[in-house]
Amino acid sequence: MCIRDSHKPHQWLITNIPTFSSHVHIYSTVGVHPKYFNPQSVYQILDDLRNNLEISKKNPNHKNKLVAVGECGLDETSSTTIDQQIFVLEKQIDLAIEFHLPLVLHCRGIHLYRKLYDCLRNRVQDKNIPIHWHCINSNANLHIVDLCLNEFPNSYIGINGSITYGTNTENAFLFKNWLVKRSPFLPSRLILETDYPYLPPRNLYGTYDPSCALVGTAVYLSKIVNNPNQNAL
């Protein structure tokens, strides 16, 4: 089973998604990424998002149902303001709650993690909501990630090939120690991501099967946890 992250409104209706082996089924999320919305049409975008969720809810074929809302969140590189991003994020949190779906979160900018976490705490009453925090790596605010994992027992961190980048930096060293210290419970709170075709592990180049990215990331992560004093690459 694979999950396709559909977070660009203009691509919601595109059906020519990559095909893999016949035994692999691709499910889809739907959401509004903080970098990919026009503030002038945000109400129409949110209406369209709701319509997509309504259609999915009524679809009798479970294989064609949307499986999560997102990815959504906050991004310091977006051309929209943080207040605009928070507005769109909060609406999507509300929709995830209303339609009983997991949330896929995105955050870029270490100072924005607290704002995103506060949005969750202010909007979510049932702390058992499933949450997938996408692309956690050495650039993440790990203190806030810990708070989220503790407060929301069905929250998970997504790890992809980006953990193999910049491994000689101070942040990378801190992240490595963070992973090692949490290794006893990490397998039960972890989602391996491809983020295909972006962020492959450093040893993959050109065109590759997304499953190779999962294996490469898993192998690298295993080496970090089991041999923290050795170079995992």
Side-chain angles (χ1 to χ4, degrees), residues 53-219:
L53 293 170
E54 290 280 6
I55 292 170
S56 172
K57 182 179 179 180
K58 296 174 182 177
N59 192 330
N61 186 349
H62 74 279
K63 288 188 175 181
N64 293 331
K65 286 183 177 293
L66 298 168
V67 296
V69 175
E71 70 195 71
C72 54
L74 304 176
D75 194 309
E76 66 179 359
T77 67
S78 175
S79 60
T80 56
T81 68
I82 295 302
D83 285 343
Q84 291 168 337
Q85 293 179 47
I86 288 175
F87 174 81
V88 174
L89 168 63
E90 289 179 339
K91 294 300 182 185
Q92 292 180 90
I93 293 173
D94 293 346
L95 286 171
I97 294 169
E98 178 181 347
F99 286 90
H100 305 287
L101 289 173
L103 266 172
V104 182
L105 298 178
H106 164 98
C107 194
R108 182 180 288 121
I110 195 166
H111 62 290
L112 294 178
Y113 277 75
R114 168 60 73 174
K115 289 182 181 292
L116 198 160
Y117 175 65
D118 288 343
C119 286
L120 284 175
R121 297 190 69 201
N122 293 334
R123 309 296 286 198
V124 177
Q125 293 184 344
D126 182 1
K127 303 302 182 183
N128 289 312
I129 182 174
I131 297 172
H132 167 196
W133 206 311
H134 164 62
C135 197
I136 296 302
N137 54 34
S138 60
N139 295 318
N141 186 325
L142 300 177
H143 171 65
I144 298 299
V145 173
D146 276 336
L147 291 179
C148 185
L149 290 172
N150 289 331
E151 181 153 358
F152 299 94
N154 289 324
S155 60
Y156 301 82
I157 60 170
I159 288 181
N160 53 43
S162 65
I163 68 170
T164 68
Y165 305 163
T167 55
N168 293 322
T169 66
E170 181 180 357
N171 282 348
F173 178 76
L174 294 173
F175 180 61
K176 181 178 178 180
N177 285 342
W178 185 83
L179 290 172
V180 170
K181 290 178 180 179
R182 283 147 189 79
S183 59
F185 71 84
L186 191 62
S188 64
R189 306 296 293 274
L190 175 67
I191 295 175
L192 288 176
E193 305 172 337
T194 66
D195 209 36
Y196 183 83
Y198 311 104
L199 302 180
R202 282 175 57 188
N203 56 349
L204 286 181
Y205 303 95
T207 302
Y208 60 92
D209 187 311
S211 61
C212 295
L214 293 177
V215 173
T217 301
V219 169

